[in-house]
Amino acid sequence: MEDASLLRYSRQIHISGIDIAGQEKLLDSRVLLIGLGGLGSPIAMYLASSGVGHLVISDFDHVELSNLQRQIIHGTGDIGAPKAESARSTIEELNPDVTVEMIGHRLSGDELLAQIEAADVVVDATDNFGSRFELNRLCHQARTPLVSGAAIRMEGQVSVYRLDLPDSPCYRCLYPETGELGERCAETGVLGPVVGIIGTIEATETIKVLLDLGETLTGRLLILDARTMEWSVMKLTKDPNCPVCSISPGEAVSNS
Amino acid sequence: MVHITVKLNVSLRKYRSSLKINEEMPILIPSDTTLAELLEHILQIPAEEVAIHMVNGIKSDMDRILVEGDKVAFWPPVAGG
């Protein structure tokens, strides 16, 4: 590692369990981030500044004035620009070590699956249940770890689904897939720092999964009520009847 | 009859607006009451507004039968971002 990199990452290289080897591993890592809104903004910025070497980021929206209260990767001068372009310039300014691949259209189906298969970790920063269920299903199919967070009003939830491991619950073990459960921030509102809190936790957990550092939120849902600033932890176990993760393709073959 | 406590979190607090923030509600319920019956019949909260059902810190199914001392907590769905 060059001197400039040693200096740039020195504060985290000092952390036990990261060291130079961990930093090199981060620089060699590939993360797929879906969404560049309130969650995706701090996630992209922290993963980039931490030196996650290859970021693949998908968002098909354009920057609007009403985004800027929380989507801190974009600025006033970016209004009207594609979020993918605006985010790219912020990330390149933050850390030129990072290779950024921006996907400015909606990723789905086989194209999404191929990106998930290529990633070390997938980070869910979407804003609706449909996208979240699709990501979970494809991450399970590809056996790729999924870091998932959500926020609305002054509430947030975040967890890690180690879909590369057989005993981990998945997102579908948490939420039933029954119609349109949720409200969107556009309809209900959201406080900017609250998505920031949840997004930075997602970035932290992503780095931990990449480096196998400490204990992640796997099997625990962390729930924030920012109005009281109370955190709750719910233990989440694998649902034996989960339509996504209860039977692996390998088991299905061996049982037939 | 069994004694349990119920906590309604974030937006679900609107169903018991007299509750103080973080206040747990002690309730006496008939034996063999399930989580679903507690929610819809006793608390009269629409099931579709609740996504996360926790008993003693663990995600629980709606057909779980509640027993003496159970601590129940409910949360609404959150998918925004």
Side-chain angles (χ1 to χ4, degrees), chain A residues 9 16 25 29 52 58 71 75 83 87 100 107 114 120 128 131 134 140 143 163 166 180 189 196 237 248 250-251 255:
Chain A
Y9 305 115
S16 164
K25 193 169 183 186
S29 296
V52 171
S58 163
Q71 300 185 13
K83 286 186 179 177
V100 194
L107 269 182
D120 297 305
N128 66 89
S131 299
E134 183 184 26
H140 178 260
R143 297 290 188 268
L163 302 171
E180 190 55 42
T237 52
S248 74
E251 284 173 60
N255 289 341

Side-chain angles (χ1 to χ4, degrees), chain A residues 159-181:
Chain A
S159 191
V160 174
Y161 304 98
R162 288 300 301 266
L163 302 171
D164 53 323
L165 304 176
D167 295 331
S168 168
C170 77
Y171 185 75
R172 183 64 180 74
C173 298
L174 173 65
Y175 277 114
E177 207 160 346
T178 49
E180 190 55 42
L181 280 165

Side-chain angles (χ1 to χ4, degrees), chain B residues 1-6 16 24-34 37-39 41-43 66-70 72:
Chain B
M1 302 291 274
V2 296
H3 298 81
I4 63 164
T5 61
V6 175
R16 294 291 186 282
E24 291 184 345
M25 193 168 31
I27 303 186
L28 196 59
I29 57 171
S31 303
D32 298 326
T33 298
T34 65
E37 290 163 348
L38 168 71
L39 186 65
H41 300 151
I42 298 173
L43 299 172
L66 296 165
V67 299
E68 181 72 24
D70 273 349
V72 177

Side-chain angles (χ1 to χ4, degrees), chain A residues 105-170:
Chain A
H105 59 269
R106 182 188 284 279
L107 269 182
S108 63
D110 288 345
E111 188 187 11
L112 176 56
L113 180 61
Q115 286 292 353
I116 290 172
E117 284 172 335
D120 297 305
V121 175
V122 174
V123 189
D124 181 351
T126 62
D127 64 356
N128 66 89
F129 276 105
S131 299
R132 293 173 182 281
F133 286 127
E134 183 184 26
L135 264 186
N136 178 65
R137 204 164 41 243
L138 295 177
C139 283
H140 178 260
Q141 189 176 335
R143 297 290 188 268
T144 305
L146 172 65
V147 176
S148 182
I152 201 158
R153 293 178 289 258
M154 295 177 71
E155 307 155 27
Q157 302 174 359
V158 55
S159 191
V160 174
Y161 304 98
R162 288 300 301 266
L163 302 171
D164 53 323
L165 304 176
D167 295 331
S168 168
C170 77

